[in-house]
Amino acid sequence: MRLTVASGVAAFAAAFLLYPLFQGGSWFWSSLGAVLAVMAAGLLSSRLSLPAWAAPLVALLAVWVYLTAAFASAKAWALVVPTRGSVVELGRLLGVGWADIQRFAAPVPETEGITLLTAGGVALIAIAVDLLAARLRKAALAGLPLLALATVPATILPDPISWPAFILAALGFIGLLIADGRERVGHWGRAVLVRRTTRATSSRPEARTSADTSGLRLSGKRIGFAAIVLAVLVPALLPAMEPVSFFTFGVGGSGSGRGNSISIPSPIASLKGQLELPERRVVLTYANNDDKPRYLRIYALDTFDGQQFGMTEPKGAPQNRTDNGPLPAPPGLGSEPKVKTVTTDIRISDEITKLQFLPLPYPPRQIQIDGDWRADVDTLMVFSTRDEASGAEYEVTTSEPEPTPDLLDSLSETRPSVDPRFLRLPDNLPPEIAELATTLTANAKTDYDAAVKLQEFFTGGDFTYTLSTQGHGNSALRDFLLRDRAGYCEQFAASMAVLARLVGIPSRVAIGYTGGTKVGDRWQVGTNDSHSWPELYFEGVGWLPFEPTPAGSAGQGSARVPEYTQPRPEATGEASTPTPGSTSSSADEPVDPQARRNPRELDREGVVATGGLPTDDSMPLIGQIGIGAAALLLVLLIPAGLRLITRNRRVRTLGWKVSEPSDDLTARIASKSGGGHPSVAAAWAELDDVLYDYGMARQLSETPRALARRLTQQYEFDADSAAAITAIASAVERVLFARDPGQIGPLRKDLRQVRQALAATVSRGRRLRAVLLPPSTLRRLRGLGERLLDGFDLLENIRLRRTSAQKGS
């Protein structure tokens, strides 16, 4: 039964690793209940002595009953017994939960489906651990299902596993191993007892005792604690190492050769993953005929379900292949606005993997690229089901409208002929958000005027750019708009798109990259330029980008506000001077790396500006290795520093008392010399450490006089060294045994003479080790660790039990 309980504790301790994946704590209590159900089933199986194959079946039945009571009690008989209706309800929740985890980015919100999936998954892990450890007696193999729990956050989250959670999970596994060891050793047999010959003992039956496993438990605990400490400290001291192709962009897909379908995970999760990368990596470079930066769109998210924006699966007909000529006409673009034709040459980095959509300026009209690439008619996204964009070089021609505020005002009266999905909103949208949209646009005369007011609401200075904001649901949207007002580009883009739909303006969310920075004769786009922005539809010009996200050093560094959304010129004809906080603030202009006051200034994404020179990715790695090596060197020099401090205190401070005696003799000298000769104890303690450092440790039965005689003869001391060691030994004996030790002179000179004589007899390597890694200091540190572990053992062995007298009474 001990192994059953230890297995459950280990499984639940490992489940703590999952906490960064969730917003709330309902998963915790549900998982605890599932583990308790597995433990109860295991205890029942042990009590009934069921075979190993039957215990998992009983555990599955117990988990089924628990999940029914927790999630489908309304459809169960007596709230607990499963029925057909409860089974259907659990199946429905599992389907909803599976869809939710495919849609949300971590940390996911608290939904019944996700909580059910989590509790069920933890229960399966607990059953596997119980089967391996308690039934098959393979406790070491039980670490594999526990490791499966650790791989979930490690593969989903960009951040490393939390060390407190890791320590807790490791302690749970070590406890399981210790319990298994005690079970095995305890079954080796009974200890052989020596019978006493007294009448009282001979008349008593032989007591049954189990083998003493305390020594083995102590060794196992020490090994386990040491392993955990090393696992936590060593990675923290080493520099962060990352593979060259370490980032994956966008919606991956399955690569080439997987038929005519494309996999579309969450683009938003990929967006934040790039923004949180510790180092800037070049994604692509481009050059165009007017030498101006442009946003490069990859995805257009057109559906909003109340939780987040999603993307309708693109459709590319054969006639819309890029090698068949011009792409379909941009939706909504008429003949009213002036159109500018721009040709852009784009080169994608080889390090990008699983990207089957092309980053393009909008709206593209013609693309020259090798491979089977097709355009979606509604959004003009260009994708492939067979090829990937990694290392691609292509040329794109765009027909960009050049609208003016006056033109957009005049077009706002035209009813938009666009798909209704760009205006669709869920019914459960909080009413406070609709009231906010109405308030912000109350004085707007046209749709364009309303769109500008919405943008000014975000860029007016009340919002803060930060990557720490999580969540996509209604509550997160309400908190972002009405309370916290802190987030990154995803929150800004999605919120403005929702507000635009509330006032009748078709909208969608674009995900891609900002224009980047100019490096040489090309524009360079990095991972820190990943961005999301809203696109609003105006009949006659089509889809136009807006920019609600703060720009510059206080936001998304290379974001820029479109010219047609900036304040109009004054009536005098002179251009108005933008005021700080308006949509045309100086922070909205792209930041020139060469013009920054500090070229190494950190922006809000944690990306270091690289200046006007090409990025050398080897330099940060070299710096990290240097920092890690310096930290490791400092740690290795700790024993040497402690040894130096101890020696100085012993030799230079006459009033020093030995606080950590190396043996009983040193302690006796310290206690007897404390009244008048503390320097004798210090000299003897230092001599003892010097001998230990040089590999000449004094034997415990060796008297000071015998030690002096042995060292003098064995190492052939000269007259001065022999006199010095004899003086130290004589002083020690007088302090220990004489009623009145008499006058004892300074021993500093004698100690120095003996240390030099001993150093001359050992090799250079031994002397170097005595300085850098003194064994005497390491011995004290090891002793400190042993005493600490012994303290844990004492705490563990505390029992509330009655004495024999109490039992007899």
Side-chain angles (χ1 to χ4, degrees):
M1 293 186 180
R2 179 189 294 115
L3 281 177
T4 299
V5 175
S7 299
V9 172
F12 188 66
F16 275 90
L17 296 168
L18 302 178
Y19 82 91
L21 301 178
F22 305 94
Q23 289 182 358
S26 62
W27 71 273
F28 177 86
W29 302 110
S30 299
S31 300
L32 176 59
V35 172
L36 292 177
V38 174
M39 290 175 58
L43 293 175
L44 179 63
S45 300
S46 300
R47 185 72 175 177
L48 300 178
S49 299
L50 297 179
W53 59 266
L57 299 180
V58 176
L60 286 174
L61 179 61
V63 172
W64 184 15
V65 172
Y66 165 73
L67 294 179
T68 300
F71 296 95
S73 58
K75 303 293 182 66
W77 183 72
L79 303 179
V80 175
V81 181
T83 61
R84 181 178 180 180
S86 66
V87 172
V88 173
E89 178 65 14
L90 289 178
R92 184 190 68 82
L93 288 177
L94 288 174
V96 173
W98 182 258
D100 287 342
I101 64 174
Q102 300 296 322
R103 182 175 53 178
F104 293 118
V108 296
E110 287 185 309
T111 64
E112 277 194 311
I114 292 178
T115 305
L116 173 61
L117 274 177
T118 306
V122 173
L124 292 178
I125 295 296
I127 293 174
V129 173
D130 180 77
L131 174 64
L132 292 172
R135 313 303 159 191
L136 303 180
R137 303 305 300 274
K138 305 289 184 182
L141 290 180
L144 294 179
L146 296 177
L147 183 63
L149 281 177
T151 59
V152 175
T155 54
I156 293 178
L157 299 176
D159 298 329
I161 294 177
S162 170
W163 65 265
F166 168 77
I167 291 178
L168 190 62
L171 290 177
F173 182 54
I174 289 175
L176 177 61
L177 295 179
I178 292 176
D180 179 70
R182 294 181 64 179
E183 287 284 332
R184 293 179 182 275
V185 177
H187 287 82
W188 284 351
R190 290 185 300 173
V192 178
L193 301 179
V194 178
R195 292 178 177 269
R196 296 184 179 181
T197 58
T198 61
R199 180 179 303 177
T201 56
S202 61
S203 63
R204 294 168 56 186
E206 180 183 0
R208 177 168 182 168
T209 57
S210 59
D212 184 12
T213 63
S214 59
L216 294 176
R217 293 202 312 271
L218 181 59
S219 300
K221 291 173 186 176
R222 289 177 176 176
I223 294 174
F225 279 116
I228 294 175
V229 171
L230 290 176
V232 173
L233 294 182
V234 171
L237 297 176
L238 295 178
M241 304 292 291
E242 296 176 358
V244 174
S245 300
F246 76 107
F247 52 89
T248 300
F249 297 104
V251 298
S254 52
S256 58
R258 282 280 188 100
N260 294 324
S261 62
I262 184 168
S263 175
I264 307 176
S266 171
I268 292 177
S270 176
L271 166 68
K272 188 176 183 184
Q274 293 185 62
L275 290 175
E276 291 182 331
L277 289 177
E279 295 182 8
R280 178 182 185 272
R281 295 300 178 96
V282 176
V283 177
L284 59 88
T285 63
Y286 68 94
N288 46 38
N289 55 356
D290 64 352
D291 198 27
K292 291 183 179 180
R294 282 175 174 79
Y295 280 19
L296 303 174
R297 191 194 65 173
I298 303 178
Y299 315 112
L301 312 183
D302 51 6
T303 61
F304 183 69
D305 60 359
Q307 300 289 342
Q308 69 175 10
F309 273 87
M311 181 171 64
T312 302
E313 184 175 359
K315 299 177 182 179
Q319 62 269 23
N320 294 328
R321 290 181 50 160
T322 57
D323 53 7
N324 286 342
L327 302 183
L333 180 60
S335 57
E336 294 86 353
K338 181 181 178 181
V339 176
K340 180 180 181 180
T341 301
V342 179
T343 302
T344 306
D345 171 65
I346 301 177
R347 301 174 188 173
I348 305 292
S349 171
D350 293 331
E351 295 184 0
I352 298 181
T353 60
K354 297 182 181 180
L355 178 61
Q356 294 181 272
F357 287 72
L358 294 181
L360 298 169
Y362 186 86
R365 296 308 309 272
Q366 191 163 358
I367 303 175
Q368 297 180 7
I369 186 174
D370 297 331
D372 185 1
W373 296 89
R374 307 185 183 190
D376 178 68
V377 177
D378 293 336
T379 62
L380 294 184
M381 292 185 298
V382 176
F383 65 97
S384 176
T385 59
R386 302 178 181 178
D387 302 302
E388 292 188 5
S390 176
E393 298 184 12
Y394 52 96
E395 184 178 276
V396 54
T397 301
T398 55
S399 298
E400 301 175 359
E402 295 184 323
T404 62
D406 293 335
L407 175 63
L408 292 174
D409 271 334
S410 65
L411 295 176
S412 294
E413 302 299 330
T414 305
R415 184 178 181 84
S417 58
V418 69
D419 193 295
R421 72 176 187 271
F422 296 108
L423 285 168
R424 191 172 296 127
L425 291 170
D427 297 333
N428 61 343
L429 199 67
E432 302 94 330
I433 299 179
E435 294 175 4
L436 175 64
T438 302
T439 302
L440 294 175
T441 59
N443 299 325
K445 300 178 180 179
T446 63
D447 288 347
Y448 164 73
D449 191 17
V452 172
K453 290 183 180 297
L454 292 178
Q455 178 177 273
E456 291 177 344
F457 168 66
F458 293 100
T459 59
D462 293 335
F463 285 82
T464 303
Y465 184 89
T466 175
L467 289 174
S468 61
T469 301
Q470 306 285 353
H472 314 285
N474 284 338
S475 60
L477 179 64
R478 181 175 58 246
D479 291 342
F480 173 74
L481 287 173
L482 303 177
R483 190 182 66 180
D484 299 335
R485 297 195 173 184
Y488 66 106
C489 54
E490 175 201 344
Q491 278 81 24
F492 284 95
S495 299
M496 182 171 175
V498 170
L499 295 179
R501 291 189 179 189
L502 285 170
V503 297
I505 305 176
S507 65
R508 64 190 184 190
V509 173
I511 293 181
Y513 299 98
T514 61
T517 55
K518 188 69 176 295
V519 178
D521 59 347
R522 298 182 66 84
W523 293 88
Q524 191 178 89
V525 177
T527 51
N528 62 307
D529 297 313
S530 301
H531 194 45
S532 177
W533 63 94
E535 291 182 340
L536 275 56
Y537 182 87
F538 298 93
E539 190 67 38
V541 294
W543 292 96
L544 295 178
F546 284 73
E547 188 50 87
T549 305
S553 59
Q556 225 295 351
S558 52
R560 61 179 60 243
V561 175
E563 294 182 2
Y564 48 82
T565 66
Q566 297 181 7
R568 310 181 192 220
E570 300 292 342
T572 58
E574 298 179 359
S576 61
T577 302
T579 59
S582 67
T583 57
S584 59
S585 64
S586 60
D588 296 329
E589 296 300 325
V591 179
D592 184 1
Q594 295 179 352
R596 285 178 176 167
R597 191 184 327 180
N598 180 7
R600 302 295 298 172
E601 180 183 3
L602 278 174
D603 62 11
R604 295 302 292 270
E605 288 96 1
V607 180
V608 179
T610 58
L613 300 177
T615 303
D616 184 3
D617 293 334
S618 64
M619 292 307 295
L621 181 59
I622 294 175
Q624 291 179 356
I625 294 176
I627 295 175
L632 182 60
L633 180 61
L634 290 177
V635 172
L636 294 177
L637 289 179
I638 289 177
L642 294 176
R643 181 71 177 92
L644 182 61
I645 293 173
T646 302
R647 175 181 298 172
N648 289 337
R649 293 182 64 187
R650 286 171 175 169
V651 175
R652 298 181 182 180
T653 305
L654 295 178
W656 185 86
K657 296 182 180 180
V658 180
S659 59
E660 292 290 343
S662 57
D663 56 14
D664 293 338
L665 180 58
T666 307
R668 289 169 55 197
I669 298 172
S671 62
K672 290 196 174 187
S673 64
H677 300 283
S679 60
V680 176
W684 181 256
E686 179 62 21
L687 176 61
D688 191 71
D689 283 351
V690 170
L691 292 174
Y692 195 84
D693 291 340
Y694 289 153
M696 309 171 184
R698 178 180 59 85
Q699 300 176 5
L700 295 178
S701 61
E702 199 170 24
T703 64
R705 184 178 301 180
L707 174 65
R709 184 168 53 251
R710 178 175 66 84
L711 294 178
T712 301
Q713 295 175 357
Q714 183 176 354
Y715 299 106
E716 300 179 353
F717 282 0
D718 55 20
D720 293 338
S721 300
I725 188 65
T726 302
I728 295 176
S730 175
V732 171
E733 289 184 343
R734 289 159 60 189
V735 169
L736 286 175
F737 307 114
R739 177 175 299 178
D740 182 10
Q743 185 68 27
I744 297 178
L747 298 176
R748 182 184 306 176
K749 183 177 180 181
D750 294 330
L751 182 61
R752 184 186 306 112
Q753 180 70 32
V754 174
R755 186 169 61 243
Q756 293 174 355
L758 293 174
T761 63
V762 297
S763 63
R764 179 179 301 176
R766 172 70 72 173
R767 293 196 301 269
L768 185 62
R769 179 191 176 188
V771 173
L772 298 180
L773 291 173
S776 60
T777 302
L778 298 178
R779 176 179 58 177
R780 285 188 174 84
L781 294 176
R782 184 170 61 251
L784 178 63
E786 291 177 353
R787 287 192 295 274
L788 182 62
L789 291 175
D790 291 340
F792 283 116
D793 290 327
L794 290 176
L795 293 177
E796 184 186 82
N797 292 330
I798 294 177
R799 296 289 188 272
L800 296 177
R801 59 177 63 178
R802 294 180 300 172
T803 63
S804 57
Q806 291 173 331
K807 291 180 180 179
S809 62

